[in-house]
């Protein structure tokens, strides 16, 4: 099968999936992204994301992960005209990160309307990294060092498993692996959100914590505050989670395409200053080793 045929097949799946989410896919936006990363997509994990909330309206996000560790996904985006060059530190952070840290694999996010959005850098599961070392990178937001005590208080500061860089929004996602079980208990979630000066958690967020594996934070260059905290759970069937699933997400769960024998989803609730919103990541193409990376947790 030719590369072009494979890309056409993947594009058709993206188009179908975005239609399920009520979003019209732009071929002019998506096709250049597929061709830019064509050499790496045969073995990539492919996932789609639907979300509630105002900030997620009008677009449908796709994610390619497990890209080769020697790939600089941001450099590829720049050289293919997928994102504008910038003098902002967000544009130099990935190169510093890959030069100074043991990155095991990479990934990208893009919207079928908004285009290229994020890069992901995964650390080895047996070599999680510390925020204090990350904070030494010249281009890292000052907000990371400003919140070092906060993350240390919850035993997260030495457990960084994944770094996401959001270029349009100029923000940073820090994922924490092997998070202590206390973090996911109701009192733990409540305390973390209170310390971050975010809203009290809803009952749905507290219930999700009982089955959660992951926690991550969003920070930026513009503010010293932790902007968002997200709690995530992995499941083969989101309708079995102890939370009420939003209709938009439930529709996608029931109809989303997948190409593997089993289905996998990550369901997450994000706490932001404007309230909570829900996100579902649906895996179209899955690899068992992804579970080992995501479930780096001693949470019981």
């Amino acid at each position: 099968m030719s590369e072009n045929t494979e890309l056409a097949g993947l594009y058709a799946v993206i188009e179908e999936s975005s239609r399920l989410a009520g979003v019209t896919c732009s071929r002019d936006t998506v096709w250049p992204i597929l061709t830019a990363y064509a050499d790496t997509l045969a073995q990539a994990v492919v996932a789609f994301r639907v979300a509630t909330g105002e900030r997620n309206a009008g677009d449908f996000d796709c994610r390619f992960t497990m890209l080769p560790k020697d790939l600089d996904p941001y450099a590829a985006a720049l050289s293919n005209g997928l994102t504008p060059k910038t003098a902002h530190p967000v544009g130099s952070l990935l190169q510093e990160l890959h030069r100074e840290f043991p990155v095991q694999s990479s990934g990208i996010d893009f919207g079928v309307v908004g285009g290229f959005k994020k890069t992901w850098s995964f650390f080895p599961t047996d070599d999680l990294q510390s925020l204090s070392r990350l904070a030494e990178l010249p281009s890292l937001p000052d907000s990371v060092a400003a919140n070092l005590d906060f993350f240390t208080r919850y035993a997260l500061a030495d457990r960084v498993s994944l770094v996401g860089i959001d270029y349009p929004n100029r923000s940073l996602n820090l994922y924490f692996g092997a998070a202590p079980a206390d973090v996911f208990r109701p009192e733990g979630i409540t305390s973390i959100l209170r310390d971050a000066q975010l809203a009290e958690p809803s009952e749905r967020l507290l219930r999700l914590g009982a089955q959660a594996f992951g926690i991550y934070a969003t920070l930026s260059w513009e503010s010293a505050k932790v902007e968002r905290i997200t709690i995530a759970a992995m499941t083969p069937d989101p309708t079995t989670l102890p939370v009420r699933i939003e209709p938009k997400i439930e529709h996608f769960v029931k109809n989303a395409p997948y190409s593997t024998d089993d289905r996998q989803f990550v369901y997450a609730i994000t706490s932001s200053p404007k309230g909570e919103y829900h996100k579902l990541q649906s895996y179209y193409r899955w690899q068992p080793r992804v579970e080992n990376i995501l479930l780096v947790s001693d949470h019981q």
Side-chain angles (χ1 to χ4, degrees), residues 5-116:
T5 302
E6 291 178 355
L7 292 187
L10 181 55
Y11 177 81
V13 170
I14 292 171
E15 188 176 46
E16 174 193 355
S17 301
S18 59
R19 186 168 55 247
L20 286 171
V23 177
T24 300
C25 180
S26 167
R27 184 181 178 88
D28 289 345
T29 296
V30 174
W31 191 257
I33 296 173
L34 299 186
T35 56
Y37 298 95
D39 292 344
T40 67
L41 294 183
Q43 300 302 316
V45 170
V46 178
F48 304 125
R49 196 192 77 161
V50 289
T52 63
E54 181 182 339
R55 66 177 280 110
N56 302 295
D59 208 347
F60 176 75
D61 284 352
C62 308
R63 180 168 296 175
F64 299 151
T65 55
M66 307 304 286
L67 303 182
K69 65 181 179 181
D70 57 351
L71 172 73
D72 182 330
Y74 181 60
L78 282 173
S79 64
N80 286 275
L82 304 179
T83 190
K85 190 172 178 61
T86 177
H88 188 278
V90 73
S92 51
L93 178 57
L94 188 76
Q95 190 175 47
E96 295 173 3
L97 186 66
H98 284 220
R99 185 177 63 240
E100 300 294 335
F101 288 85
V103 174
Q104 187 173 56
S105 63
S106 297
I108 64 163
D109 275 12
F110 64 93
V112 300
V113 176
F116 179 85

Side-chain angles (χ1 to χ4, degrees), residues 143-159:
S143 54
V144 174
N147 287 284
L148 187 57
D149 288 347
F150 166 73
F151 292 113
T152 301
R153 192 153 53 247
Y154 294 99
L156 298 173
D158 294 322
R159 303 171 186 255

